[in-house]
């Protein structure tokens, strides 16, 4: 300000002096007036430059070489603009972070304005409803989601609960279920959240089925047992009849015991930690055990028949040994034996059961049990490892099955990073093969990969 007064006074003084020197008193008056006008014009010009800059709003277009009051104003405004610009950038960065987080959400998110138009939606929502984030921006939600249940929910305006819809990609074979809920906020705006609850609903259905199956499996032998107890209590039976009834009762209680035992095994498998890579189990021991159990079961089941199973095992072991599997001996034993016992139980006495162990090129190995039994219809194969799922209920019961065997096998194999593959042709037989990854198996030293250790019994 002082500088401004100084410059004005100085230019006035110079005008007066020059005018006085040139034309006396009149000259001084004209010189002073001229100097005043010049100062005013230059001030006006500088003010106009500053105004033009204000209008442009460009921080970098600030007029340079401004001194005095206008220079000060330019500096102050430039500093304010810079602070404001930094704040805007910071807000923008935070907003981008928030949108990136919303984009990464596993739930579908749709922001709606007060008219129900889509302002923004994330990728999950696009997948759930088939939206195109750019094309459908500001489109009316009601026009895009046509499900009658959703329309009733949307128009009903009671958003205290969710509505469950079929997903866009839902098919009868692969149903997709979505839980959709709207959350009003602000001035009539809404947030819509969609969640894929297919797995949840399937788990709930499986839990319901499981409880129903367990009840059924336990109740049936219990009813039979209760019936026999009542008969024994009320009827005068001969010693022979009593012995027969007691044998049947023992059979039923053994069946209940097997079911409970199977369930306990499954829950123990689910709860215990995964087997580490520290314990190596001898493959030869495993297979010898499997062979002994398989042969014993076959003899028991075919003891009254003229013919017996032809059983082929990869034994005796070659001199270099058979290799090892990293895992828990008892679990591996029960899983591999289970596949052999199934083959024995479901294959008629005249059939063949062949067990093999093959090393793979990638260092992994395949344990396979092939039988010439009745085979399994393809529709049943994906469900065989479900708890209590049986193709032939009566055959399973006759041979002491619980419907839990393959569920236990699957669990044990998963824990050992192995996978179960089932191939079967109705009327021709089945092959159950277990694929062990290279990390879980150790071939004997000197054994070429892809060598087959199968040999006749
Ligand atoms: P189960 O105790 O009834 O044998 P599993 O879980 O071991 O129960 O097997 C499930 C079903 O798979 C069996 O009930 C049977 O119908 C079918 N299955 C399993 N193994 C064979 C096989 N080798 N040949 C034919 N069917 C089989």
């Amino acid at each position: 300000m002082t500088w401004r007064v100084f410059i004005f006074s100085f230019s006035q003084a110079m005008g007066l002096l020059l005018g006085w020197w040139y034309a006396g008193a009149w000259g001084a008056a004209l010189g002073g007036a001229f100097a005043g006008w010049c100062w005013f014009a230059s001030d006006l010009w500088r003010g106009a430059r500053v105004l033009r800059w204000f209008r442009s709003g460009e921080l970098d277009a600030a007029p340079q070489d401004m001194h005095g009051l206008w220079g000060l104003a330019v500096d102050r405004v430039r500093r304010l603009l810079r602070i404001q610009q930094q704040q805007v950038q910071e807000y923008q960065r935070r907003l981008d972070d928030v949108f990136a987080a919303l984009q990464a959400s596993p739930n579908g998110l749709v922001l709606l304005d007060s008219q129900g138009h889509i302002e923004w939606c994330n990728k999950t929502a696009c997948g759930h409803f088939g939206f195109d984030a750019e094309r459908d921006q500001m489109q009316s939600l009601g026009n895009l989601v046509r499900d009658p249940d959703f329309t009733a929910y949307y128009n009903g305006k009671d958003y205290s609960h969710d509505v469950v819809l079929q997903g866009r990609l839902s098919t009868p074979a692969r149903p997709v279920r979505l839980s959709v809920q709207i959350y009003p906020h602000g001035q009539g705006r809404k947030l819509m959240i969609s969640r894929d609850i297919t797995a949840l609903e399937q788990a709930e259905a499986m839990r319901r089925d499981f409880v129903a199956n367990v009840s059924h499996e336990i109740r049936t032998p219990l009813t039979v047992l209760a019936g026999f107890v009542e008969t024994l209590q009320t009827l005068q039976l001969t010693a022979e009849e009593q012995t027969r009834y007691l044998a049947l009762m023992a059979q039923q209680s053994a069946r209940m015991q097997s079911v409970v035992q199977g369930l306990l095994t499954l829950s123990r498998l689910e709860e215990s930690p995964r087997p580490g890579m520290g314990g190596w189990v001898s493959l030869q021991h495993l297979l010898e055990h499997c062979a002994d159990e398989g042969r014993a079961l076959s003899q028991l089941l075919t003891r009254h028949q003229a013919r017996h199973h032809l059983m082929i095992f990869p034994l005796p072991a070659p001199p270099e040994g058979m290799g090892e599997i990293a895992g828990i001996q008892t679990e591996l034993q029960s899983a591999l034996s289970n596949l052999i016992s199934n083959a024995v139980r479901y294959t008629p006495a005249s059939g063949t059961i062949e067990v093999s162990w093959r090393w793979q090129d990638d260092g992994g190995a395949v344990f396979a049990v092939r039988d010439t039994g009745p085979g399994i219809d393809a529709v049943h194969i994906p469900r065989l490892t479900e708890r209590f799922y049986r193709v032939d209920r009566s055959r399973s019961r006759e041979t002491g099955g619980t419907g839990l065997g393959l569920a236990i096998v699957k669990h044990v194999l998963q824990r050992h990073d192995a996978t179960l593959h089932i191939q079967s042709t109705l009327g021709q037989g089945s092959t159950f093969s277990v694929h062990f990854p290279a990390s879980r198996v150790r071939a004997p030293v000197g054994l070429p990969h892809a060598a087959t250790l199968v040999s006749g019994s």
Side-chain angles (χ1 to χ4, degrees), residues 342 345-346 371 376 384 389-391 396 401-403 405-406 432:
N342 274 355
R345 285 165 48 224
Y346 293 104
D371 66 56
I376 306 160
L384 286 186
Y389 190 86
R390 294 154 165 134
V391 179
S396 160
T402 57
L406 289 180
F432 287 73

Side-chain angles (χ1 to χ4, degrees), residues 341-395:
S341 102
N342 274 355
V344 172
R345 285 165 48 224
Y346 293 104
T347 305
S350 53
T352 303
I353 291 147
E354 184 184 349
V355 178
S356 62
W357 177 270
R358 286 186 174 83
W359 293 102
Q360 304 291 293
D361 286 341
D362 64 0
V366 178
F367 168 87
V369 181
R370 188 181 67 79
D371 66 56
T372 54
I376 306 160
D377 194 326
V379 290
H380 299 293
I381 291 180
R383 300 196 59 191
L384 286 186
T385 52
E386 283 176 24
R387 291 162 195 208
F388 297 115
Y389 190 86
R390 294 154 165 134
V391 179
D392 183 346
R393 213 163 257 277
S394 57
R395 178 94 186 99

Side-chain angles (χ1 to χ4, degrees), residues 29-291:
L30 276 174
F34 181 70
W37 273 106
C38 283
W39 182 87
F40 179 65
S42 105
D43 199 56
L44 206 64
W45 176 69
R46 292 193 309 152
R49 279 179 68 197
V50 172
L51 274 179
R52 203 176 325 127
W53 171 53
F54 283 174
R55 268 190 227 110
S56 82
E58 295 276 326
L59 182 63
D60 296 337
Q64 305 294 319
D65 308 327
M66 281 280 182
H67 302 290
L69 195 67
W70 289 117
L72 214 62
V74 167
D75 268 357
R76 289 268 160 85
V77 171
R78 193 164 34 198
R79 208 173 309 146
L80 278 175
L81 276 178
R82 190 163 294 137
I83 291 171
Q84 208 179 35
Q85 205 177 48
Q86 281 168 354
Q87 278 175 347
V88 169
Q89 279 170 354
E90 175 65 9
Y91 288 143
Q92 187 60 47
R93 199 182 54 73
R94 283 194 204 162
L95 203 64
D96 289 347
D97 285 349
V98 170
F99 274 109
L102 295 180
Q103 195 63 270
S105 164
N107 294 329
L109 302 171
V110 184
L111 300 180
L112 300 167
D113 69 5
S114 54
Q115 308 299 311
H117 297 136
I118 298 174
E119 286 185 321
W120 181 88
C121 62
N122 69 356
K123 281 194 202 119
T124 315
C126 291
H128 284 171
F129 301 104
F131 297 156
D132 180 316
E134 278 178 28
R135 187 197 60 206
D136 295 332
Q137 201 176 22
M138 297 321 285
Q139 292 291 318
S140 170
L141 180 71
N143 290 341
L144 296 178
V145 185
R146 295 297 207 157
D147 188 304
D149 289 345
F150 179 77
T151 309
Y153 171 77
Y154 188 61
N155 295 336
K157 295 197 168 38
D158 174 10
Y159 304 137
S160 58
H161 58 92
D162 67 339
V163 59
V164 176
L165 313 175
Q166 295 277 3
R168 186 178 59 101
L169 302 174
S170 189
T171 60
R174 287 195 63 195
V176 178
R177 307 274 291 159
L178 297 177
S179 155
V180 180
Q181 188 159 9
I182 288 177
Y183 298 89
H185 67 99
Q187 306 266 303
R189 306 168 74 82
K190 297 179 193 78
L191 165 68
M192 185 170 86
I193 300 186
S194 56
R195 276 187 314 134
D196 188 333
I197 54 164
T198 316
L200 211 72
E201 287 204 341
Q202 276 169 354
E204 180 55 24
M206 273 168 78
R207 192 194 61 78
R208 274 198 308 268
D209 284 357
F210 179 67
V211 172
N213 278 328
V214 172
S215 316
H216 176 79
E217 292 296 328
I218 303 282
R219 202 180 49 217
T220 313
L222 259 183
T223 314
V224 179
L225 268 179
F228 283 138
V229 170
E230 204 182 311
T231 312
L232 286 171
Q233 280 172 336
T234 51
L235 294 181
Q236 284 293 327
L237 299 172
T238 62
E240 201 179 302
E241 280 171 331
Q242 273 189 11
T243 316
R244 197 161 56 85
Y245 278 23
L246 285 171
L248 288 170
M249 285 169 78
Q251 204 181 25
Q252 293 303 322
S253 59
R255 189 178 141 197
M256 269 200 303
Q257 240 173 354
S258 314
V259 172
V260 172
Q261 189 57 45
L263 290 172
L264 286 175
T265 306
L266 274 171
S267 89
R268 190 172 43 74
L269 286 173
E270 276 169 352
E271 280 164 17
S272 54
R274 280 167 73 86
M277 306 294 289
W280 288 91
V281 180
S282 155
L283 185 56
Q284 186 179 338
H285 278 141
L286 275 182
L287 292 179
E288 278 172 1
H289 217 96
C290 286

Side-chain angles (χ1 to χ4, degrees), residues 370-376 423-431:
R370 188 181 67 79
D371 66 56
T372 54
I376 306 160
Q423 280 175 313
S424 192
T425 312
L426 259 185
Q428 290 185 22
S430 318
T431 303

